[in-house]
């Protein structure tokens, strides 16, 4: 079993650390933010991730959290799990990565494992920086993470694949061996290819979402139901069912950022990545389409009350980064609407200025002219819609995630609009048909 030091107690660092401890390794997770480490040591998780607390608790004897750099670097493998946010130019800010490299003391013998999402070519730069510091006994391996928030523990312990891109075969073997307890194929590549796999995978998934969103928008015009269309497409094994769920656009800390990274990386290297421009633009427009739908039903939104149900960028997370809800709220306020909102977990108090946050869905819905389903939390899909109707001023629901039963809503007397489900197509739906839910 290996001794692993993890730099960065963020999302990737905590989940990877806990899961590597679960596999039997001894792990030290280090972060510069003292409060974060104190909370972790007190048994409190700074992120909301279903199932993670149990894995952390179960492996307490093999999992330590510290602010001390010495305890982290004194290990066989050093995992880099720090943030790489975009700079003003949109490129990845690698400052935190360089800090980790500077913290490695002379004479260290270890393997540096890059988990953070970085531009292609970073491995080469890090290798050169290590060599320049005389750290020739520090190997370098790119082992990108494919953890989705909300399912991260499962994504780690039941990975679809493990990608290992190494300069030195023995270093790659050591990283591969860490994952011996997992039943997942290991793909050995060169370093730039491993870096590209991560960016390409996220960009492709985002492309599928923008594609199905555009199909949905056309469905509305031609009288088709995108739920049926997506199902019919997904059953083709060459296409598959995942990431064909239409909605009000993708968000989160990964897709928007990584797609821009890849677009810029291509541009900086002399290639104009046209498709990604469209993927980004479609996504931006998709977030705003709800406003047009509301106007179709309510006319001018000035003085109208709109309740946003769900704020997190997707269910099972409290993450509001790049959440479509934020753009939507800002657009509605700009149209002169009064906006209220509720999310079962995410705390938007510091973020959504001018938005009245309800303590419950019904509180947010009180007096509203429209309810907009922004995030497909089960609590929202299963809401007491009859109760909702009784507190609303106007009975209108815009289902931005196609999770409600149109017949039920209509039976209750709501005007119902969704994404890619033309009125004509909805009226032909069998009564029992439930909207598709993806298991991802
Ligand atoms: C994503 C990837 O799924 C992970 O594999 C990757 O490791 C991670 O980014 C990362 O780079 O760290 P995540 O951002 O947590 O994970 O979320 P996803 O579940 O992939 O969803 C992203 C966005 O797409 C959400 O806003 C979601 O609502 C939207 N989405 C997803 C759709 O609109 N339709 C779909 O069919 C699927």
């Amino acid at each position: 079993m290996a001794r692993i030091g993890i730099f960065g107690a963020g999302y990737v660092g905590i989940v990877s650390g806990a899961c590597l401890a679960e596999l039997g390794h001894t792990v030290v997770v280090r972060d510069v933010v003292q409060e974060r480490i104190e909370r972790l040591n007190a048994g409190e998780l700074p992120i909301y991730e279903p199932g993670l607390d149990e894995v952390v608790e179960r492996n307490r004897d093999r999992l330590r959290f510290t602010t001390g750099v010495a305890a982290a670097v004194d290990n066989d493998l050093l995992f880099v799990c720090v943030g790489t946010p975009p700079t003003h130019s949109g490129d990845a800010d690698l400052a935190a990565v360089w800090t980790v490299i500077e913290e490695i003391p002379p004479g260290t013998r270890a393997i540096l494992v890059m988990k953070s999402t970085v531009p292609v070519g970073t491995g080469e730069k890090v290798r050169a920086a290590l060599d320049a510091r005389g750290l020739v006994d520090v190997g370098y391996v790119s082992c990108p993470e494919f953890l989705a928030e909300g399912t991260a523990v499962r994504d780690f312990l039941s990975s679809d694949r493990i990608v290992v891109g190494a300069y030195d075969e023995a270093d790659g073997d050591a990283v591969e061996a860490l994952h011996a307890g997992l039943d997942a194929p290991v793909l050995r590549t060169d370093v730039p290819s491993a870096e590209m796999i991560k960016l390409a995978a996220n960009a492709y998934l985002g492309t599928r979402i923008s594609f199905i969103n555009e199909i949905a928008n056309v469905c509305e015009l031609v009288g088709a139901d995108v739920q049926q269309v997506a199902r019919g497409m997904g059953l083709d094994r060459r296409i598959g069912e995942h990431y064909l769920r239409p909605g009000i656009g993708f968000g989160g800390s990964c897709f928007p950022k990584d797609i821009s990274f890849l677009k810029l990386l291509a541009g900086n290297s002399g290639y104009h990545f046209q498709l990604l421009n469209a993927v980004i633009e479609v996504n931006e427009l998709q977030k705003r389409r709800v406003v047009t739908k509301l106007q179709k039903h309510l006319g001018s939104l000035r003085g109208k009350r709109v309740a946003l149900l769900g704020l997190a960028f997707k269910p099972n997370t409290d993450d509001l980064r790049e959440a479509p809800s934020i753009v939507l709220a800002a657009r509605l306020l700009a149209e002169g609407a009064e906006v209220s909102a509720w999310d079962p977990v995410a705390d938007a108090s510091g973020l959504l200025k001018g938005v009245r946050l309800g303590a419950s869905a019904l509180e947010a819905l009180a007096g509203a002219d429209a309810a907009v389903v922004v995030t497909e939390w089960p609590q929202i899909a299963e809401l007491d819609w009859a109760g909702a109707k009784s507190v609303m001023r106007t009975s209108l629901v815009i289902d931005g995630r196609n999770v409600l039963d149109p017949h039920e809503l209509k039976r209750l007397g709501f005007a119902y609009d969704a994404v890619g489900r033309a009125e004509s197509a909805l009226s032909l739906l069998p009564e029992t048909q439930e909207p598709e839910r993806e298991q991802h």
Side-chain angles (χ1 to χ4, degrees), residues 3 55-56 59 63 75 80 132 136 144 158 242 255 259 278 327 345 352 358 380 403 406:
R3 294 162 56 243
V55 184
V56 170
N59 295 288
L63 183 60
N75 283 293
V80 182
V136 288
S158 314
H242 295 299
F255 282 5
I259 294 171
V327 174
V345 174
L352 292 175
I380 292 167
V403 284

Side-chain angles (χ1 to χ4, degrees), residues 111 127 136 138-142 164-175 188-191:
I111 301 169
R127 181 67 271 161
V136 288
V138 177
Y140 184 88
V141 175
S142 166
V164 177
Y167 290 114
D168 181 272
E169 210 176 321
D171 292 343
D173 291 346
V175 174
R188 298 287 291 266
T189 67
D190 54 64
V191 172

Side-chain angles (χ1 to χ4, degrees), residues 11-12 117 144-151 155 161 198 201-202 205-206 208-210 212-213 241-258 283 312-315 317 319 322-324 374-376 401 438 440:
Y11 199 81
V12 176
T117 302
E145 56 87 14
F146 301 104
L147 310 174
E149 294 185 20
T151 56
D155 290 345
R161 79 303 209 181
K198 166 70 192 204
N202 273 0
L205 293 171
R208 281 175 70 105
I209 299 169
S210 277
I212 200 67
N213 280 337
E241 64 185 316
H242 295 299
Y243 286 76
L244 283 182
R245 230 171 47 234
I248 60 172
F250 57 76
S253 63
C254 304
F255 282 5
K257 173 185 77 130
D258 291 355
N283 197 50
F313 82 97
K314 64 174 191 177
T317 175
D319 202 336
E322 299 286 330
V374 180
T375 313
E376 65 276 37
R401 299 287 179 179
E438 193 169 312
H440 223 77

Side-chain angles (χ1 to χ4, degrees), residues 216-226 228 296-297 406-407 410 416-430 433:
N217 300 342
V218 179
C219 279
E220 287 173 12
L221 299 173
V222 298
D225 173 19
V226 72
Q228 300 180 46
K296 185 179 90 187
H297 292 273
H407 294 297
K410 285 188 178 164
Y416 173 84
D417 211 332
V419 180
R421 315 187 87 182
E423 192 69 23
S424 53
L426 280 178
S427 59
L428 292 174
L429 268 184
Q433 183 155 342

